[in-house]
Amino acid sequence: MLEKVGEFMGKLAKLVTAGAMVLFIMLSGCETGQENTERSAMISSNEPTLQAAGNEIVPARSIVVGFSQLGSESDWRRANTRSIQEAAKETGIQLILENAEQSQEKQFEAIRAFVKQKVDVIAIAPVVEKGWEPILREVKQVGIPVIITDRLVEVSDPSLYVSYIGSDFYEEGRMAGKYVMDKLLHAEGPIGIVELKGTEGSTPSLSRGKGFHDVIKQNPNLQVVESEYANFTVEQGNKVMRELLERRSKEIRVLFAHNDDMALGAIEAIEAYGLKPGKDIVIVSVDGTRKAFERMVAGNINSVVECNPLLGPYLMQAVKEMLDGRTLPKRIVTPERIFTEVTAHNELNNRMY
Ligand code: GYE
């Protein structure tokens, strides 16, 4: 099995530009793609070629992937969509992409359409964790392999998907928490923290929140005074922060935003309120977009935990490996770092999203 992971990594390393990505794979089990042998007979590379099927010569066709993208709410998401489209193009995979605009129901519709179209693989970035079991069972019945990407699904039967490719959101939350602990180590308490959460019931919001709380509870001076959903958007981040300032301006010393877009919206609200973001209120967010880095260089955001949206090459490589009959790791995790205002300027020009 390790040999196979090694092989997967080797091929992926060739696929992505050197230095742009380093792959770290965490194994929590392995699963073989369903119906691999049958499907792999139909794989072609970029250009359709002729393949022998028994005695007959038939034209090969390219792999078709149906991808249900959950929306376009943030810069992270838009970079993620672009990455998947570009990687499909580069690998000669035909991509059918449906944007569900935050609706799980629309994701179900897209998936049923992919089944009708008899795609080779279905990839899903699920908007929320719960409620996937019935539809994934439908897909399993027709034998189309499923790869989950970005956010996770909560299912009792792990054989309903082949592999999950995405970040370790819990660790991201922990990194944000550790930063706040260190930064305010010697500050006088109580230190009021507000949290802008992402989409209710989504993996990054659940896990980042948990990771953050698990760390900061070690210091009783750090107190989360309010925790509100703002759906990962600039607009909601702005609106909810304005409301929080109305209610709590005296207590708020720290803002933990579950993504950069909400932090950027909140910064506008803080400035409009007459306070200095990054000074009067310490700000930590997640993603690492270029816009957040610009704000970090300007001293308005203190720290950003990276979350990599460039999952296209990982996904396409996984699709190819799986259809080739290889065993994929059940979990593929992207490596990530934390950046602070001290070193942000060194990194600004390297940001790819
Ligand atoms: O952090 C946020 C986006 O699911 C990891 O969704 C993703 C999150 C990302 O809207 O910006």
Side-chain angles (χ1 to χ4, degrees), residues 137-182:
R137 250 190 251 119
E138 283 175 39
V139 178
K140 193 179 175 182
Q141 256 162 26
V142 296
I144 299 177
V146 170
I147 295 179
I148 304 294
T149 176
D150 166 26
R151 304 180 182 175
L152 186 56
V153 291
E154 191 192 292
V155 285
S156 61
D157 174 4
S159 78
L160 291 174
Y161 64 89
V162 177
S163 182
Y164 165 42
I165 305 172
S167 308
D168 182 345
F169 301 126
Y170 179 73
E171 188 50 34
E172 290 171 354
R174 279 176 48 83
M175 283 195 256
K178 279 186 200 157
Y179 177 80
V180 170
M181 288 258 288
D182 289 350

Side-chain angles (χ1 to χ4, degrees), residues 70 73-74 76-77 150-151 169 204 208 232 258-261 286-287 307:
L70 67 91
E73 71 284 356
S74 63
W76 188 101
R77 182 72 45 205
D150 166 26
R151 304 180 182 175
F169 301 126
R208 285 173 188 162
F232 287 126
H258 286 194
N259 84 340
D260 290 342
D261 294 63
V286 189
D287 277 355
C307 177

Side-chain angles (χ1 to χ4, degrees), residues 6 15 41 45 61 99 113 134 138 145 149 151 184 192 205 237 255 277 294 304 318:
L15 192 76
S45 61
R61 64 168 180 83
N99 183 337
E138 283 175 39
T149 176
R151 304 180 182 175
L184 297 163
S205 195
L255 163 66
E294 282 163 2
V304 170

Side-chain angles (χ1 to χ4, degrees), residues 105-121:
E105 205 45 54
K106 278 195 182 164
Q107 294 206 279
F108 294 165
E109 281 165 27
I111 292 163
R112 290 199 177 102
F114 297 151
V115 168
K116 280 210 181 99
Q117 289 161 291
K118 296 193 167 55
V119 299
D120 298 299
V121 176

